[in-house]
Amino acid sequence: QGRDPPAGGAARSGKRAAPAGAGALQPAKLSRAELYKPPTSEELSQLKETEDLFHSSLLRLQIEELLKEVTLKETKKKKIDAFLHEINSLLSAIPETPETELTDQAWLPEGVKVPFLQVPFSVKGRFRFLSPAELKVVGSYLLGTCIKPEINVDVAVTMPREIFQDKDNLNQRYHRKRALYLAHIAQHFSKEKLFGSVKFAYMNSNHLKPILLLRPQGSKDEKMVTVRLHACPAPGLFKPSRFYPSKNNIRTAWFMEQSTPKEGAPEPPTPHYNNSILCDTVLLSHLHFLSSAAADFPGMKDGLALLKVWLNQRQLSKGLGCFSGFLVSMLVAYLLMKRKIVKMMSGYQVLRSTLQFLATTDLSVMGISLAKDVDASLPVLDDFHQAFEVVFVDPSGLVNLCADMTASKYHQVQFEAKRSMEILDDRTVDGFQVLLMTTKPMLRAFDHVFHLKHVSKLQGTCKKMQLLNELMDRGGNYVAAALPFVVSLLARGLARRALLVTHSLPQISEWPIDAEPPKHKDVGPLTFGLLFVPEFAAGTLEKGPQADHPEALDFRTFWGEKSELRRFQDGSICEAVVWQADTVCQKRLIPEQIVRHLLKLHMDIPESSICYTGALLESVIRTGQEASGTGEEAMVSVVCSYDDLSRKLWNLKGLPLTVTAVQGVHPALRYTDVFPPIPMKPIYSFHTRIRTKHLLLPSEEKPCPAYIAPLKIICHMEGSGQWPQDKEAIKRIKAAFHLQLAELLQQQHQLVCRPAVTHTDVYKDGYVFRLQVAYHREPLILKEVVTPEGMLKYQDTEESRQLELETLHLPYLTSSLHGLQQQHPVFGSTCRLAKRWVSAQLLSDNISEECVDLLVAFLFLHPAPFTPPSSPQVGFLRFLDLLATFDWKNNPLIVNLNAGLTDADLTEIKNKFVAARSRLPVMFIATPKDRWSSMWTQERPSAQILQRLLVLASESLRALEEQLMDPLNSQDVKMVFRPPLDFYDVLIHLNPNQIPRHLESVDRPLKSFSRGVVKNSTAVKILFPVVDYDPVQCYLQELREMCCRSWSDRVAVVPGRLWVEMKGWRLNQGWALALGCLAQPLFSTQDAFSDLALFFYDKHGGEVIAVLWKPLSFQPQPFKVASMKGRMVTTLNNELVCIPNVEAILEDFEVLGEGLVKSIEARTEKWTI
C-alpha cells in the first residue's frame, strides 16, 4: 500500500501535531532496514491467503488475537491435570454399599438428595455401589478445543457391570441407578478438602441426565475449571437394537401407575428416552472419532474456537436442545469426512465452510449421518425423521445428536449462518467485530419478544393436545414435550408475517447436593422471539381458501370463531380473519393478538400467562389521554398539509422571480419530531388582544398558552442578474420577498400570514409554517473577504456556515431521512424514542436533533449483525447499545445515506480521520454530503457530555433489558426516562401552569391546565396564534445570556406580562419582543452565568431545571473591578480575591424567573468554595 504523506502541513512546518487523546491509536515507527526487508516464504504464503480470503490483513490479525484470548494457557493445563489425578485417586477409595431395592434409599445419608425426579416412585430393580470400572477424560479438553471463559472438563465414570440387571433399559431403571451412583460419589466428595464446591446439574438441562460438578478449592481456582462427572454403563451392557427410535422402553401402565396394562393397546415408541441411554454408551467412541479428525489439523482447533464464540454470542450453545460445542465439533468432522473441509485449511476457512454448510442445509428436512458402512439392520434416516425434528446421526448410526433440538431452533441457527455469510462477504462491514465480538441477546435480535410467565400452564397444553406419549418419552417433562408444538403453532399462525419464530432454550442452573432436584417448572419463564417481514407484519387481513374448498374447514378449525366468510373485490367468497386495529401502533401489535388468540384456543394458555413486551416503551411518545396511537397519523397529516402548501407556492402568480424549490427542514417533515404538531386554533379569551396590530399575546392571569411550533420551510428563488451582490442588500430583497409571499398567499389562497424580516409565518390547517426565502449565491457572497492588500478572497465565515447549514444541508438531510422512513416504517418512531430519552436525561441542548436522527439512521442502514429493526422498541435498545459501545475515540461513524459512498470513500474517510483525530469533534459522524467536517456534532456534544451520555446509555440499556426480560416483575420501563438528579448542585423547580408542554412529560401530570387553544378546524379569519413561545426556554436563554446592565434594572420572564420591564420601553417595542419570544438577544449580551454554571432541562414538559456549577469558577480569582459580576470580595492570605456570590446568584435566578420559578433547591452539601 502506498504511504500517504501526513495530513496537513504539521510535519513539514516542523511543528508536532498535538498528541491525540490517550487511548487513540498511533501509527507504529519502523527503521528503514525493517521497512524494506524482503518477506520470508511463510509471510508470502500468509499474504497470499490473506489476499484470497480475508478482506483485510486486519481481520486475520483480529482473529489471531481472539484465539490467543480464548485458548487455555499451558500453566492452567498443568493445574487442571493435577486436579484430575487427585479426583481419580479419590474415586477409587469410595467404599462399596450393600445391595438394596431401588426404592429403598435409606442408606443415603441426610446431606445428599437423589438428583433425579422419581415420578412415579415405585420401580423394580436392585442397586449397590461398586468402585468405577474406569475413568476417562472425554470431550473438548483432550482435543484442545475448549475455550474460555468457561472451562469444562468432561470425565466419563464407567459403572461396573455387576450393578445392573436384565431389564434396566425399562422404566427409568438405568437412569435412577445412574443418579444414585452419582449421589453416593457426591456425598463422599463433599467431605474432601480438595473441592471448593460439589454440586449437581442437568446435562444441557435434560432432566434425565444429572451430572456432578466439581470445582477446586480456592476462590481463583474455583473459577478456573469445572470438572463434570458423567456416569456411563459398562461397554456391551445393552443390546443396541433395544434402543432404535421406533422401540418402546417405558410402559404406559407403569408411567400412569395403573396396576394392569390395557389389553391389546400398542406401546408408543420412546425415541428421546432411548437416545438418552445410547448417548452414555458412545462417549468414548465419539472421543476417538473426533481425535482422529483433529489429528494433523491445526485449523480445526482454531475453527472450532471461532465457531464456539460465534454460537455463544448468539445464545445458542446452552440449554435443552442447544447447538453445543460438541455438536459443532461433530459437524466439522462430518464436513471433513465429506471433503467439504480439508486438513490444509486455516481456522477462518473452517468457520466459513461450516457457516456455508449450515446456511444451505436444512437438517429438519434432510438429515445427515456420520455412519460410514451402512448396516442393513440399523435404523435409516427416515426412521429418525419420524421420531425427531432435527436429524444428525453419530458414527455408530444409533444416536441422534440433535435429538432435543426443535426445528425452530435449527432454523434460527440456519438464519444466523446465512446472515453471517452475507456479512463476511460485505467489504463495508467489519466482519470480525460484528460476528464474533457483538452479543445478540433476544431483546435486541428480535422485533417482538414475549414471555410465557408460568410454564406450569404447559401441563394443560399437554392434556388438551393429548401429548401423553411425548410426556412418557421425555420423563414427564411437559416443557420439552409441549414446546415444539407451541412453536410450530405460532409459526403457522404468523407464517406470512414472521421470518423467524423462535424460543429461548430452557435452562436449569446447578444446585447444591443437599437440595431436592429442580422440578420441570423451575426453568422459569420461556421467552419467544419474532422476527418480522416488514411488508406483511402489520396486515389486518388473513385471507383463507374459498368457502367450497376442502381446506376451508382446516382454516376454520385453526382460527376458531375469528374466521368468517367474506366477499372480496374479485368476486370470490373466502374464509378470512380480520384483526381490529385503527392506528399504526395498534397494527404493529396485530402479532400480539394472533399469539394470544392461538395459544388460548389450541393450547389452553390463558392471556394472563403471556407477557408481551413488543411495544411497552411506546407509551412515552403518546400524547393525549385517548388511545390515539403514537403520533404517526399526526405526522402524516402535517406532511400532507406541507405538500399542499408547497404546491401553492410553486403556482403563486405575481412573483417577480419563480420559486425553484420548496424544502422542509422541520423534524416533523422527516417523521422524527418527538411530539408532532397538532392542529390548533387560539381561544381569544385566554389571550390579550392588540386591536391595532391584529395580534394576540399571552394573558397574565391565565396559564401559558399551548406551544405552537413553527414548521420551517426553505423557499428557493430562481437566480437572476437582478439579485444584488451585496450581503446587506440581499437581506433586504429577501425581506421584500417575505412581505410579497404573505400578500400573495393571502390574496390567492386566503391563508392568514404574518411577515417578518427573516421569514413569513403562514397559518394553514391549524399548523404554522415558517417560510424562509433562500438565494443560492448568498452563502458564496457571505464568504467574500477583502484582504488588507485589497484582494478579494473566499473563506468560510460563521454566518456563511450557518446559512449553508439551514438552506443546503438540512433540506438534504430531511429529504434523505424522509426517504428512509418510506423504506423502514419504524424509523421515525425509533428516532422519536431516542430523542425522548436524550431529552428526558436533560441533555437535549447538548446534542443536536440531527445528530440523533443520524445515529438512528445508522442502525437501519448498517444493521449488521442484526436485520433492520421492525419495531421502535428494538430500534431504541440498539440505539442505546450503539451509543454505549461504539469506539468514538478511534472510529468515525459513517452513515451511508442513499448509498452515496463507495468502498474507496469509506477507506479514505477512515484514514483521514485517524490522521486528523486530534482536530476533529469527539463524536464524528460522516455522511455522503459531509465527509470531513461532521457538521452536526461540530459544536456539541463536548467530551464530558458525551462521556455522561455513554454512562447513561449503558445503564439505561442494562436496566431496561433487565425489566423487559423479567415478566414476573412490574416492568416499569419508564424508569430509564426518569433522570437521576442527585448529580446536580441546584434544582430550579418550575410552576407547571407556565410550562406549555407540560402534557409531554414522561409521567403524565395528574392535573392538566386549559392552554387557550382548541383542536383546530378550518378557520380562515382568525387572529394569529402566539408562535414558538415557551417561557422556560426564554428563561434558560436569559440565564445563559445575562445582559450587561446595572442590577437596578430587572428583567422578569413573567409569562403574560410584557416581558421586559425596563426604563424607557414602550408598548410597540414590547409586542415585537413578545411575539419573537426573545428569540434574539435583546441587548449587547455577554455571558453572565454561563461561565459559572451549566443548565440542563427536559424541553418536553420538564418541571425542573438542573444546574451544575463549573468547578473552575469556584477557584478564587485575583480582585479586578471589571470581573466582579456575580462575585464577592473576600481575603485569602491577606490578599483580596473574588469568589462566586452563590446566595446573590440564587436570588437572581429567582428574580429572573418571577412567576415561572416555584422554588430553588440548593444542595449545599454538593459544592464548597
Side-chain angles (χ1 to χ4, degrees), residues 634-658:
M635 214 88 76
V636 171
S637 79
V638 173
V639 174
C640 289
S641 181
Y642 155 73
D643 287 341
D644 183 47
L645 178 62
S646 62
R647 274 193 296 277
K648 290 187 161 114
L649 286 167
W650 284 98
N651 301 325
L652 273 185
K653 295 178 181 60
L655 274 176
L657 295 175
T658 55

PDB file of all heavy atoms in Angstrom, residues 634-658:
ATOM      1  N   ALA A 634     -50.631  11.772  13.029  1.00  0.00           N
ATOM      2  CA  ALA A 634     -50.488  13.234  13.115  1.00  0.00           C
ATOM      3  C   ALA A 634     -49.379  13.700  12.178  1.00  0.00           C
ATOM      4  O   ALA A 634     -49.493  14.716  11.494  1.00  0.00           O
ATOM      5  CB  ALA A 634     -50.164  13.641  14.554  1.00  0.00           C
ATOM      6  N   MET A 635     -48.297  12.928  12.120  1.00  0.00           N
ATOM      7  CA  MET A 635     -47.152  13.286  11.282  1.00  0.00           C
ATOM      8  C   MET A 635     -47.553  13.266   9.803  1.00  0.00           C
ATOM      9  O   MET A 635     -47.168  14.132   9.032  1.00  0.00           O
ATOM     10  CB  MET A 635     -46.038  12.265  11.525  1.00  0.00           C
ATOM     11  CG  MET A 635     -44.669  12.829  11.447  1.00  0.00           C
ATOM     12  SD  MET A 635     -44.067  13.487  12.986  1.00  0.00           S
ATOM     13  CE  MET A 635     -43.652  12.055  13.887  1.00  0.00           C
ATOM     14  N   VAL A 636     -48.346  12.259   9.425  1.00  0.00           N
ATOM     15  CA  VAL A 636     -48.766  12.157   8.015  1.00  0.00           C
ATOM     16  C   VAL A 636     -49.609  13.373   7.649  1.00  0.00           C
ATOM     17  O   VAL A 636     -49.468  13.941   6.568  1.00  0.00           O
ATOM     18  CB  VAL A 636     -49.546  10.841   7.782  1.00  0.00           C
ATOM     19  CG1 VAL A 636     -50.171  10.820   6.404  1.00  0.00           C
ATOM     20  CG2 VAL A 636     -48.616   9.650   7.954  1.00  0.00           C
ATOM     21  N   SER A 637     -50.483  13.804   8.573  1.00  0.00           N
ATOM     22  CA  SER A 637     -51.342  14.937   8.206  1.00  0.00           C
ATOM     23  C   SER A 637     -50.522  16.229   8.107  1.00  0.00           C
ATOM     24  O   SER A 637     -50.821  17.096   7.290  1.00  0.00           O
ATOM     25  CB  SER A 637     -52.531  15.075   9.161  1.00  0.00           C
ATOM     26  OG  SER A 637     -52.126  15.682  10.345  1.00  0.00           O
ATOM     27  N   VAL A 638     -49.456  16.356   8.908  1.00  0.00           N
ATOM     28  CA  VAL A 638     -48.561  17.522   8.778  1.00  0.00           C
ATOM     29  C   VAL A 638     -47.926  17.503   7.387  1.00  0.00           C
ATOM     30  O   VAL A 638     -47.887  18.518   6.674  1.00  0.00           O
ATOM     31  CB  VAL A 638     -47.429  17.486   9.845  1.00  0.00           C
ATOM     32  CG1 VAL A 638     -46.417  18.588   9.595  1.00  0.00           C
ATOM     33  CG2 VAL A 638     -48.005  17.628  11.236  1.00  0.00           C
ATOM     34  N   VAL A 639     -47.431  16.333   6.978  1.00  0.00           N
ATOM     35  CA  VAL A 639     -46.738  16.231   5.686  1.00  0.00           C
ATOM     36  C   VAL A 639     -47.706  16.520   4.534  1.00  0.00           C
ATOM     37  O   VAL A 639     -47.346  17.182   3.563  1.00  0.00           O
ATOM     38  CB  VAL A 639     -46.078  14.832   5.542  1.00  0.00           C
ATOM     39  CG1 VAL A 639     -45.487  14.648   4.155  1.00  0.00           C
ATOM     40  CG2 VAL A 639     -44.991  14.655   6.593  1.00  0.00           C
ATOM     41  N   CYS A 640     -48.970  16.048   4.669  1.00  0.00           N
ATOM     42  CA  CYS A 640     -49.965  16.340   3.615  1.00  0.00           C
ATOM     43  C   CYS A 640     -50.193  17.845   3.494  1.00  0.00           C
ATOM     44  O   CYS A 640     -50.256  18.401   2.390  1.00  0.00           O
ATOM     45  CB  CYS A 640     -51.297  15.669   3.927  1.00  0.00           C
ATOM     46  SG  CYS A 640     -51.193  13.898   3.738  1.00  0.00           S
ATOM     47  N   SER A 641     -50.346  18.504   4.649  1.00  0.00           N
ATOM     48  CA  SER A 641     -50.587  19.943   4.650  1.00  0.00           C
ATOM     49  C   SER A 641     -49.393  20.672   4.024  1.00  0.00           C
ATOM     50  O   SER A 641     -49.542  21.609   3.237  1.00  0.00           O
ATOM     51  CB  SER A 641     -50.814  20.418   6.087  1.00  0.00           C
ATOM     52  OG  SER A 641     -51.059  21.794   6.105  1.00  0.00           O
ATOM     53  N   TYR A 642     -48.195  20.208   4.330  1.00  0.00           N
ATOM     54  CA  TYR A 642     -46.968  20.812   3.790  1.00  0.00           C
ATOM     55  C   TYR A 642     -46.912  20.622   2.273  1.00  0.00           C
ATOM     56  O   TYR A 642     -46.575  21.547   1.524  1.00  0.00           O
ATOM     57  CB  TYR A 642     -45.754  20.175   4.473  1.00  0.00           C
ATOM     58  CG  TYR A 642     -44.480  20.226   3.666  1.00  0.00           C
ATOM     59  CD1 TYR A 642     -43.784  21.423   3.513  1.00  0.00           C
ATOM     60  CD2 TYR A 642     -43.971  19.081   3.052  1.00  0.00           C
ATOM     61  CE1 TYR A 642     -42.611  21.470   2.770  1.00  0.00           C
ATOM     62  CE2 TYR A 642     -42.811  19.118   2.305  1.00  0.00           C
ATOM     63  CZ  TYR A 642     -42.133  20.320   2.159  1.00  0.00           C
ATOM     64  OH  TYR A 642     -40.977  20.363   1.421  1.00  0.00           O
ATOM     65  N   ASP A 643     -47.256  19.395   1.812  1.00  0.00           N
ATOM     66  CA  ASP A 643     -47.240  19.146   0.364  1.00  0.00           C
ATOM     67  C   ASP A 643     -48.182  20.096  -0.361  1.00  0.00           C
ATOM     68  O   ASP A 643     -47.859  20.639  -1.428  1.00  0.00           O
ATOM     69  CB  ASP A 643     -47.652  17.690   0.066  1.00  0.00           C
ATOM     70  CG  ASP A 643     -46.560  16.709   0.447  1.00  0.00           C
ATOM     71  OD1 ASP A 643     -45.399  17.159   0.588  1.00  0.00           O
ATOM     72  OD2 ASP A 643     -46.853  15.513   0.628  1.00  0.00           O
ATOM     73  N   ASP A 644     -49.357  20.285   0.251  1.00  0.00           N
ATOM     74  CA  ASP A 644     -50.340  21.174  -0.364  1.00  0.00           C
ATOM     75  C   ASP A 644     -49.799  22.610  -0.418  1.00  0.00           C
ATOM     76  O   ASP A 644     -49.914  23.301  -1.430  1.00  0.00           O
ATOM     77  CB  ASP A 644     -51.642  21.107   0.442  1.00  0.00           C
ATOM     78  CG  ASP A 644     -52.739  21.953  -0.189  1.00  0.00           C
ATOM     79  OD1 ASP A 644     -52.923  21.830  -1.417  1.00  0.00           O
ATOM     80  OD2 ASP A 644     -53.374  22.740   0.531  1.00  0.00           O
ATOM     81  N   LEU A 645     -49.166  23.045   0.677  1.00  0.00           N
ATOM     82  CA  LEU A 645     -48.622  24.403   0.719  1.00  0.00           C
ATOM     83  C   LEU A 645     -47.516  24.555  -0.323  1.00  0.00           C
ATOM     84  O   LEU A 645     -47.415  25.582  -1.009  1.00  0.00           O
ATOM     85  CB  LEU A 645     -48.072  24.708   2.122  1.00  0.00           C
ATOM     86  CG  LEU A 645     -47.428  26.090   2.290  1.00  0.00           C
ATOM     87  CD1 LEU A 645     -48.452  27.194   2.039  1.00  0.00           C
ATOM     88  CD2 LEU A 645     -46.838  26.270   3.682  1.00  0.00           C
ATOM     89  N   SER A 646     -46.676  23.520  -0.465  1.00  0.00           N
ATOM     90  CA  SER A 646     -45.579  23.669  -1.427  1.00  0.00           C
ATOM     91  C   SER A 646     -46.124  23.759  -2.850  1.00  0.00           C
ATOM     92  O   SER A 646     -45.622  24.524  -3.671  1.00  0.00           O
ATOM     93  CB  SER A 646     -44.535  22.558  -1.278  1.00  0.00           C
ATOM     94  OG  SER A 646     -45.106  21.314  -1.533  1.00  0.00           O
ATOM     95  N   ARG A 647     -47.220  23.027  -3.149  1.00  0.00           N
ATOM     96  CA  ARG A 647     -47.842  23.160  -4.481  1.00  0.00           C
ATOM     97  C   ARG A 647     -48.355  24.585  -4.692  1.00  0.00           C
ATOM     98  O   ARG A 647     -48.191  25.177  -5.760  1.00  0.00           O
ATOM     99  CB  ARG A 647     -48.992  22.161  -4.628  1.00  0.00           C
ATOM    100  CG  ARG A 647     -48.537  20.777  -5.097  1.00  0.00           C
ATOM    101  CD  ARG A 647     -49.728  19.930  -5.536  1.00  0.00           C
ATOM    102  NE  ARG A 647     -50.637  19.642  -4.435  1.00  0.00           N
ATOM    103  CZ  ARG A 647     -50.450  18.647  -3.567  1.00  0.00           C
ATOM    104  NH1 ARG A 647     -49.393  17.871  -3.668  1.00  0.00           N
ATOM    105  NH2 ARG A 647     -51.313  18.453  -2.593  1.00  0.00           N
ATOM    106  N   LYS A 648     -48.960  25.138  -3.635  1.00  0.00           N
ATOM    107  CA  LYS A 648     -49.479  26.512  -3.752  1.00  0.00           C
ATOM    108  C   LYS A 648     -48.343  27.506  -3.984  1.00  0.00           C
ATOM    109  O   LYS A 648     -48.487  28.462  -4.740  1.00  0.00           O
ATOM    110  CB  LYS A 648     -50.257  26.881  -2.481  1.00  0.00           C
ATOM    111  CG  LYS A 648     -51.568  26.109  -2.376  1.00  0.00           C
ATOM    112  CD  LYS A 648     -52.430  26.582  -1.223  1.00  0.00           C
ATOM    113  CE  LYS A 648     -53.861  26.141  -1.429  1.00  0.00           C
ATOM    114  NZ  LYS A 648     -54.339  25.172  -0.456  1.00  0.00           N
ATOM    115  N   LEU A 649     -47.204  27.261  -3.329  1.00  0.00           N
ATOM    116  CA  LEU A 649     -46.065  28.174  -3.506  1.00  0.00           C
ATOM    117  C   LEU A 649     -45.505  28.078  -4.927  1.00  0.00           C
ATOM    118  O   LEU A 649     -45.140  29.080  -5.538  1.00  0.00           O
ATOM    119  CB  LEU A 649     -44.957  27.843  -2.494  1.00  0.00           C
ATOM    120  CG  LEU A 649     -45.243  28.259  -1.049  1.00  0.00           C
ATOM    121  CD1 LEU A 649     -44.256  27.618  -0.089  1.00  0.00           C
ATOM    122  CD2 LEU A 649     -45.188  29.777  -0.896  1.00  0.00           C
ATOM    123  N   TRP A 650     -45.442  26.845  -5.452  1.00  0.00           N
ATOM    124  CA  TRP A 650     -44.947  26.677  -6.831  1.00  0.00           C
ATOM    125  C   TRP A 650     -45.803  27.490  -7.801  1.00  0.00           C
ATOM    126  O   TRP A 650     -45.301  28.067  -8.765  1.00  0.00           O
ATOM    127  CB  TRP A 650     -45.058  25.202  -7.263  1.00  0.00           C
ATOM    128  CG  TRP A 650     -44.035  24.286  -6.685  1.00  0.00           C
ATOM    129  CD1 TRP A 650     -44.181  23.467  -5.618  1.00  0.00           C
ATOM    130  CD2 TRP A 650     -42.694  24.077  -7.143  1.00  0.00           C
ATOM    131  NE1 TRP A 650     -43.027  22.764  -5.377  1.00  0.00           N
ATOM    132  CE2 TRP A 650     -42.096  23.116  -6.306  1.00  0.00           C
ATOM    133  CE3 TRP A 650     -41.946  24.619  -8.199  1.00  0.00           C
ATOM    134  CZ2 TRP A 650     -40.787  22.684  -6.466  1.00  0.00           C
ATOM    135  CZ3 TRP A 650     -40.636  24.184  -8.360  1.00  0.00           C
ATOM    136  CH2 TRP A 650     -40.069  23.226  -7.503  1.00  0.00           C
ATOM    137  N   ASN A 651     -47.127  27.476  -7.534  1.00  0.00           N
ATOM    138  CA  ASN A 651     -48.043  28.040  -8.526  1.00  0.00           C
ATOM    139  C   ASN A 651     -48.452  29.482  -8.225  1.00  0.00           C
ATOM    140  O   ASN A 651     -49.441  29.970  -8.790  1.00  0.00           O
ATOM    141  CB  ASN A 651     -49.308  27.167  -8.619  1.00  0.00           C
ATOM    142  CG  ASN A 651     -48.949  25.748  -9.015  1.00  0.00           C
ATOM    143  OD1 ASN A 651     -48.020  25.546  -9.785  1.00  0.00           O
ATOM    144  ND2 ASN A 651     -49.668  24.763  -8.486  1.00  0.00           N
ATOM    145  N   LEU A 652     -47.749  30.153  -7.311  1.00  0.00           N
ATOM    146  CA  LEU A 652     -48.135  31.540  -6.990  1.00  0.00           C
ATOM    147  C   LEU A 652     -47.984  32.422  -8.227  1.00  0.00           C
ATOM    148  O   LEU A 652     -46.964  32.356  -8.931  1.00  0.00           O
ATOM    149  CB  LEU A 652     -47.248  32.092  -5.867  1.00  0.00           C
ATOM    150  CG  LEU A 652     -47.687  31.834  -4.431  1.00  0.00           C
ATOM    151  CD1 LEU A 652     -46.757  32.552  -3.470  1.00  0.00           C
ATOM    152  CD2 LEU A 652     -49.115  32.277  -4.167  1.00  0.00           C
ATOM    153  N   LYS A 653     -48.988  33.262  -8.483  1.00  0.00           N
ATOM    154  CA  LYS A 653     -48.895  34.195  -9.622  1.00  0.00           C
ATOM    155  C   LYS A 653     -48.496  35.565  -9.072  1.00  0.00           C
ATOM    156  O   LYS A 653     -48.878  35.935  -7.977  1.00  0.00           O
ATOM    157  CB  LYS A 653     -50.248  34.281 -10.329  1.00  0.00           C
ATOM    158  CG  LYS A 653     -50.663  32.963 -10.973  1.00  0.00           C
ATOM    159  CD  LYS A 653     -52.037  33.073 -11.619  1.00  0.00           C
ATOM    160  CE  LYS A 653     -52.478  31.762 -12.234  1.00  0.00           C
ATOM    161  NZ  LYS A 653     -52.568  30.662 -11.247  1.00  0.00           N
ATOM    162  N   GLY A 654     -47.711  36.272  -9.879  1.00  0.00           N
ATOM    163  CA  GLY A 654     -47.395  37.653  -9.492  1.00  0.00           C
ATOM    164  C   GLY A 654     -46.067  37.823  -8.784  1.00  0.00           C
ATOM    165  O   GLY A 654     -45.734  38.926  -8.357  1.00  0.00           O
ATOM    166  N   LEU A 655     -45.274  36.740  -8.628  1.00  0.00           N
ATOM    167  CA  LEU A 655     -43.945  36.900  -8.014  1.00  0.00           C
ATOM    168  C   LEU A 655     -42.955  37.353  -9.083  1.00  0.00           C
ATOM    169  O   LEU A 655     -42.967  36.821 -10.200  1.00  0.00           O
ATOM    170  CB  LEU A 655     -43.463  35.561  -7.431  1.00  0.00           C
ATOM    171  CG  LEU A 655     -43.891  35.207  -6.017  1.00  0.00           C
ATOM    172  CD1 LEU A 655     -43.400  33.795  -5.674  1.00  0.00           C
ATOM    173  CD2 LEU A 655     -43.337  36.179  -4.983  1.00  0.00           C
ATOM    174  N   PRO A 656     -42.064  38.308  -8.771  1.00  0.00           N
ATOM    175  CA  PRO A 656     -41.089  38.755  -9.783  1.00  0.00           C
ATOM    176  C   PRO A 656     -40.138  37.629 -10.206  1.00  0.00           C
ATOM    177  O   PRO A 656     -39.692  37.590 -11.337  1.00  0.00           O
ATOM    178  CB  PRO A 656     -40.320  39.869  -9.089  1.00  0.00           C
ATOM    179  CG  PRO A 656     -40.680  39.790  -7.661  1.00  0.00           C
ATOM    180  CD  PRO A 656     -41.984  39.093  -7.550  1.00  0.00           C
ATOM    181  N   LEU A 657     -39.829  36.678  -9.268  1.00  0.00           N
ATOM    182  CA  LEU A 657     -38.995  35.520  -9.625  1.00  0.00           C
ATOM    183  C   LEU A 657     -39.769  34.262  -9.245  1.00  0.00           C
ATOM    184  O   LEU A 657     -40.489  34.261  -8.256  1.00  0.00           O
ATOM    185  CB  LEU A 657     -37.676  35.537  -8.841  1.00  0.00           C
ATOM    186  CG  LEU A 657     -36.703  36.678  -9.124  1.00  0.00           C
ATOM    187  CD1 LEU A 657     -35.514  36.591  -8.181  1.00  0.00           C
ATOM    188  CD2 LEU A 657     -36.204  36.626 -10.564  1.00  0.00           C
ATOM    189  N   THR A 658     -39.597  33.195 -10.013  1.00  0.00           N
ATOM    190  CA  THR A 658     -40.354  31.984  -9.662  1.00  0.00           C
ATOM    191  C   THR A 658     -39.658  31.230  -8.533  1.00  0.00           C
ATOM    192  O   THR A 658     -38.457  31.372  -8.295  1.00  0.00           O
ATOM    193  CB  THR A 658     -40.486  31.031 -10.865  1.00  0.00           C
ATOM    194  OG1 THR A 658     -39.172  30.771 -11.337  1.00  0.00           O
ATOM    195  CG2 THR A 658     -41.326  31.627 -11.955  1.00  0.00           C
TER     196      THR A 658
END
